[in-house]
Amino acid sequence: MINATRKWILLKLSSFLMVPFMIWFLIKFVSIYDGDYQSVLSFFSNQFMAIIFSIFITVTFFHSALSISEIFEDYISNENTRKFANMMVYLSSFLIPLITIITLCKI
């Protein structure tokens, strides 16, 4: 399979997966928005909510990294600069969800 086709399929799949997670997150966010610190802490202390939120964050950063790499492919003509920018985006899209998940596990 061509690399561009694989990226396109992964972008469509991740965007399809993000829809129910985003609906879930918006509903939960509205419910804890006016809450105090304890309600937010109890939300993220719930193991099921933490797992769902971790999946949501991972899929969102994966989708963002693929989208940004496509922008780099289109607008950065220097090969070395494009590779470095893609490497930084993929590294941050791995590290930020990882740090978030580790932090959620410590709650």
Side-chain angles (χ1 to χ4, degrees), residues 15-25 56:
S15 62
F16 179 74
L17 286 173
M18 279 177 29
V19 170
F21 284 116
M22 184 58 76
I23 292 169
W24 169 84
F25 179 71
F56 169 65

Side-chain angles (χ1 to χ4, degrees), residues 23-38:
I23 292 169
W24 169 84
F25 179 71
L26 289 174
I27 290 170
K28 293 300 178 179
F29 182 75
V30 167
S31 70
I32 65 171
Y33 179 73
D34 287 332
D36 58 350
Y37 174 75
Q38 286 297 24

Side-chain angles (χ1 to χ4, degrees), residues 9-78:
I9 290 172
L10 288 174
L11 271 169
K12 298 305 174 189
L13 181 63
S14 64
S15 62
F16 179 74
L17 286 173
M18 279 177 29
V19 170
F21 284 116
M22 184 58 76
I23 292 169
W24 169 84
F25 179 71
L26 289 174
I27 290 170
K28 293 300 178 179
F29 182 75
V30 167
S31 70
I32 65 171
Y33 179 73
D34 287 332
D36 58 350
Y37 174 75
Q38 286 297 24
S39 64
V40 174
L41 186 64
S42 67
F43 172 77
F44 286 111
S45 296
N46 183 342
Q47 187 177 11
F48 177 73
M49 296 298 179
I51 290 171
I52 297 297
F53 186 74
S54 298
I55 294 169
F56 169 65
I57 291 295
T58 304
V59 170
T60 302
F61 272 89
F62 176 75
H63 180 81
S64 298
L66 284 176
S67 300
I68 292 170
S69 75
E70 286 299 311
I71 292 170
F72 291 162
E73 295 290 326
D74 291 341
Y75 292 106
I76 299 177
S77 58
N78 186 328

